[in-house]
């Protein structure tokens, strides 16, 4: 009886969280899944004229979605490893600094609490040529004998470079904070034993530091992939709301446009795109979980 009573109490404690997740996560996901198969769904009349795979076929053949898919994958492939590697390098450096360590940690964390759109405007000033200036970055390029480039309205590679650079800069503070905490939690006895044996610093880092903080690195990689696939506000901050015209839309931006943008009013297409994004993220997460079994030490 006591065991059943304790089980009931546990379920009662969990009930608020279960209800919250059910109402705001599980039900919407099921609803979106259903909408994605309803052809010609009209949100005003709540009617549709058929059920099938047409919405998925339309989305997968839509040039705007294919462009958004390409942009998102480029963003993920570049920003996740680069930001994680840089954050690890900076965290190791911060961990070895005793004086002013807290000050440096605060400076590196400031971008994380800064408004996304405000930072985007600063990046526009840095990269976008105006009638009065070519922008600070172009001035540096010309100072070294290069040619000015319009990074905001110019060639595709230039715009993608700015978006990747901005994303890396925006996500690094959180990663630095997590990795700095992970490095501080490593038992110093391991380092002392390695130094007694005359182990080189690089070998210590590879054989002790990396394995000990591998769970945190794995966590950052997983969340980094998910966050990069959900990118949208960064692109809006840099290139404005008409991302299709700028060829810089993302999958989340495509979903938003299908619901509320200039081409809005197509919840079935938006739902199909959202389910495709969900499937991509789920697949990559499962792959990462499989790889982590061999390389992550708990």
């Amino acid at each position: 009886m006591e065991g059943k009573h304790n089980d009931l109490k546990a379920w009662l404690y969990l009930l608020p969280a279960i209800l919250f997740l059910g109402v705001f996560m599980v039900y919407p996901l099921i609803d979106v899944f259903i909408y994605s198969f309803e052809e010609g769904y009209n949100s005003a009349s709540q009617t549709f004229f058929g059920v099938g795979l047409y919405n998925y076929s339309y989305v997968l053949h839509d040039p705007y979605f294919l462009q958004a898919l390409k942009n998102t994958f480029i963003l993920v492939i570049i920003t996740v490893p680069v930001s994680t590697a840089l954050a690890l390098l900076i965290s190791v450096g911060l961990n070895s600094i005793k004086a002013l360590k807290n000050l440096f940690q605060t400076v590196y964390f400031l971008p994380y609490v800064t408004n996304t759109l405000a930072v985007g405007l600063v990046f526009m000033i840095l990269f976008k040529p105006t009638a009065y200036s070519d922008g600070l970055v172009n001035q540096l390029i010309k100072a070294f004998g290069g040619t000015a480039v319009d990074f905001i309205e110019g060639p595709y590679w230039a715009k993608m470079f700015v978006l990747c650079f901005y994303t890396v800069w925006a996500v690094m503070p959180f990663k630095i904070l997590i990795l700095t905490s992970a490095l501080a939690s490593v038992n110093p006895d391991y380092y002392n034993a390695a130094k007694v044996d005359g182990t080189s610093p690089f070998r210590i880092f590879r054989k002790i530091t990396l394995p000990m903080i591998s769970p945190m690195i794995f966590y950052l990689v997983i969340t980094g992939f998910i966050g990069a696939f959900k990118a949208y506000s960064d692109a809006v901050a840099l290139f404005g709301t008409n991302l299709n015209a700028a060829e810089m839309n993302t999958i989340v931006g495509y979903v938003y446009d299908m619901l509320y943008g200039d081409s809005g009013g197509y919840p079935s297409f938006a739902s199909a795109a959202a389910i495709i994004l969900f499937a991509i993220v789920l697949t990559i997460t499962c792959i990462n979980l499989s790889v982590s079994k061999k390389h992550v030490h708990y």
Side-chain angles (χ1 to χ4, degrees):
M1 286 293 294
E2 186 177 351
K4 292 182 178 179
H5 181 69
N6 290 334
D7 289 344
L8 179 61
K9 285 179 63 176
W11 281 109
L12 286 175
Y13 287 134
L14 289 172
L15 186 60
I18 292 173
L19 290 175
F20 180 85
L21 292 174
V23 172
F24 293 102
M25 293 187 68
V26 178
Y27 170 72
L29 180 60
I30 295 173
D31 219 23
V32 168
F33 186 75
I34 294 172
Y35 283 152
S36 69
F37 291 100
E38 295 178 347
E39 299 175 0
Y41 176 79
N42 188 304
S43 55
S45 62
Q46 299 285 306
T47 59
F48 56 93
F49 57 73
V51 176
L53 298 174
Y54 173 75
N55 297 324
Y56 290 94
S57 176
Y58 177 88
V59 168
L60 292 173
H61 289 86
D62 186 354
Y64 288 133
F65 178 79
L66 297 178
Q67 180 69 56
L69 187 67
K70 173 186 173 183
N71 294 339
T72 305
F73 266 100
I74 291 175
L75 194 65
V76 168
I77 292 169
I78 293 176
T79 61
V80 174
V82 169
S83 62
T84 306
L86 286 176
L88 179 59
L89 182 65
I90 293 171
S91 299
V92 171
L94 287 175
N95 195 56
S96 63
I97 297 174
K98 302 303 179 184
L100 302 177
K101 179 179 178 179
N102 292 332
L103 174 63
F104 283 118
Q105 286 179 332
T106 303
V107 170
Y108 277 112
F109 190 69
L110 282 177
Y112 188 71
V113 295
T114 306
N115 183 272
T116 302
L117 294 177
V119 175
L121 290 175
V122 172
F123 268 72
M124 285 185 67
I125 294 171
L126 289 173
F127 286 96
K128 184 177 181 179
T130 66
Y132 307 100
S133 170
D134 287 330
L136 179 60
V137 173
N138 276 321
Q139 289 180 8
L140 292 174
I141 291 174
K142 290 196 293 186
F144 287 96
T147 305
V149 179
D150 188 344
F151 288 94
I152 304 299
E153 298 178 356
Y156 175 79
W157 67 266
K159 291 184 286 190
M160 183 55 69
F161 168 80
V162 175
L163 181 58
C164 290
F165 184 83
Y166 175 89
T167 303
V168 168
W169 188 84
V171 301
M172 268 208 312
F174 176 72
K175 295 186 176 185
I176 291 172
L177 179 68
I178 296 296
L179 290 174
T180 303
S181 302
L183 288 168
S185 66
V186 177
N187 192 334
D189 291 342
Y190 295 120
Y191 294 126
N192 294 332
K195 290 176 181 177
V196 169
D197 291 338
T199 309
S200 66
F202 177 75
R203 187 172 175 81
I204 291 175
F205 175 76
R206 190 165 60 90
K207 294 294 185 179
I208 297 177
T209 305
L210 278 182
M212 294 298 293
I213 66 171
S214 58
M216 282 301 174
I217 295 176
F218 172 67
Y219 164 76
L220 292 176
V221 169
I222 288 287
T223 55
F225 272 113
I226 295 172
F229 272 111
K230 295 192 300 180
Y232 175 57
S233 59
D234 298 351
V236 172
L238 290 171
F239 307 106
T241 55
N242 195 355
L243 294 176
N244 284 330
E247 296 184 328
M248 294 306 297
N249 209 353
T250 62
I251 300 177
V252 172
Y254 178 87
V255 172
Y256 180 86
D257 288 343
M258 280 296 171
L259 283 173
Y260 307 111
D262 295 336
S263 59
Y266 304 100
S268 295
F269 295 150
S271 298
I275 293 297
I276 292 171
L277 174 60
F278 173 76
I280 292 172
V281 173
L282 180 62
T283 301
I284 291 179
T285 302
C286 290
I287 293 171
N288 281 324
L289 288 171
S290 177
V291 171
S292 71
K293 294 178 180 178
K294 297 181 180 179
H295 301 285
V296 177
H297 304 270
Y298 293 100

